[in-house]
Amino acid sequence: MTVEVIRTIAGMRERFPETSAALVPTMGALHDGHLALVRRAAELSERVVVSIFVNPLQFAAGEDLERYPRDLDADLAALAPHPVEAVFAPDAEEMYPDGRPRITVSAGDLGRRLEGRSRLGHFDGMLTVVAKLLGIVRPSHVLFGEKDAQQLVLVRRMVHDLDIATLVDEVPTVRAEDGLALSSRNRYLDADQRRAATALHRAIEAAASAGDRGTDAALAAAEGVLKAEPLVALDYLAIVDPETFAGVDDDRRGVVRVVLAARVGTARLIDTGLLHLGR
Ligand code: AMP
């Protein structure tokens, strides 16, 4: 069945006057990771909305806004077998009729660390569009992927701090058979780069294997894997508290999160995983 496409905010309000839908916000170029969110959304609500919007506000200067893959027909075909009631696909003019909005959401300190440090303004732009989407759809649930773990923590914090009446749900990272996390940006990779990009996942596994020797050993193990791959240019690698994203000391024990970003060719890729420190 073809999924209905709604282009306007007024159209969304009319179609979804109730607050019972589950919303899956995306930038399109849909893959199985997005579809895992859709499947989870369908478990949470009978009414599933997927938004597709390449949000200019969350791209830093010099990033891939212009060439980010856009193919609505392919996205609709990918969604067709799934129980999606509507796709909300506004253009930038509909979302930002006055250009950059005068009032935006600030992601605070965490928004300026790690991913936010490399991508200035990214998280403010992301939270601003998520706040708008939550205001437009007023969903009972909103779904995000673990792959963008810092984004997920920030969205949870915004929903909590601003008393937004929606439940945030998380879906584990979907990977290719060789471990590479699925991403719309993987299509920028040529064959050699695609092979090299598995180093991100291998680094997370190496960190997990070294976790019994503590934070520093886990970081060193991950770094070793990444450094051995000349096509991978590491941006950051860190082990953080999974709830707060604060850095952790070498004597930390228990479950923590490893996060990393790297450039492979012209693609900037991120990955993450949980690991256990100590015996
Ligand atoms: P994007 O279209 O890249 O903005 O992603 C839209 C949503 O899909 C975000 O919540 C992402 O975290 C999630 N997502 C992207 N890739 C994956 C993946 N490989 N596994 C699970 N969720 C993903």
Side-chain angles (χ1 to χ4, degrees), residues 4-269:
E4 180 184 352
V5 179
I6 299 175
R7 297 280 187 181
T8 63
I9 294 167
M12 277 306 289
R13 290 247 165 83
E14 197 177 311
R15 189 75 154 71
F16 292 88
E18 310 277 331
T19 57
S20 61
L23 171 67
V24 179
T26 81
M27 298 204 301
L30 300 181
H31 51 64
D32 283 349
H34 297 113
L35 296 177
L37 300 188
V38 170
R39 273 191 292 274
R40 176 72 185 136
E43 289 169 10
L44 296 169
S45 172
E46 285 176 0
R47 310 191 72 185
V48 175
V49 178
V50 175
S51 63
I52 296 181
F53 178 57
V54 182
N55 173 36
L57 237 53
Q58 72 187 66
F59 285 75
E63 288 189 352
D64 55 346
L65 173 63
E66 299 307 327
R67 71 166 179 146
Y68 196 86
R70 293 165 174 87
D71 188 346
L72 186 60
D73 288 342
D75 290 343
L76 295 177
L79 292 174
H82 297 269
V84 175
E85 188 171 331
V87 163
F88 178 48
D91 61 17
E93 174 78 335
E94 177 72 6
M95 290 296 269
Y96 305 118
D98 307 321
R100 200 188 154 75
R102 266 162 292 193
I103 306 294
T104 57
V105 179
S106 163
D109 288 349
L110 177 53
R112 288 184 288 272
R113 296 185 28 233
L114 300 166
E115 195 64 6
R117 187 168 171 185
S118 299
R119 306 186 64 190
L120 293 180
H122 167 66
F123 284 127
D124 293 358
M126 179 278 294
L127 288 180
T128 299
V129 83
V130 171
K132 282 178 68 80
L133 290 168
L134 295 177
I136 293 164
V137 183
R138 288 152 301 132
S140 58
H141 295 82
V142 65
L143 288 290
F144 288 89
E146 180 202 357
K147 182 170 89 75
D148 300 273
Q150 193 175 356
Q151 161 172 286
L152 188 47
V153 166
L154 286 166
V155 169
R156 283 191 194 284
R157 198 174 276 183
M158 173 178 77
V159 163
H160 174 268
D161 289 358
L162 302 185
D163 300 300
I164 298 172
T166 191
L167 295 169
V168 179
D169 207 68
E170 168 176 353
V171 173
T173 303
V174 177
R175 299 178 179 280
E177 249 173 48
D178 60 6
L180 180 69
L182 300 189
S183 163
S184 308
R185 291 188 168 98
N186 290 349
R187 31 183 109 183
Y188 300 151
L189 302 170
D190 68 21
D192 287 340
Q193 293 161 348
R194 172 70 185 69
R195 267 189 296 277
T198 60
L200 276 73
H201 175 246
R202 287 186 278 117
I204 292 168
E205 289 194 322
S209 304
D212 57 345
R213 289 183 284 123
T215 309
D216 293 350
L219 282 173
E223 205 174 332
V225 171
L226 294 160
K227 290 249 163 85
E229 190 49 78
L231 294 180
V232 172
L234 183 61
D235 178 356
Y236 64 80
L237 166 69
I239 291 183
V240 298
D241 181 288
E243 307 301 328
T244 64
F245 262 69
V248 302
D249 295 334
D250 193 36
D251 54 8
R252 169 80 174 234
R253 294 294 174 257
V255 177
V256 293
R257 182 173 286 290
V258 57
V259 286
L260 62 95
R263 200 166 281 284
V264 185
T266 60
R268 188 171 175 287
L269 305 177

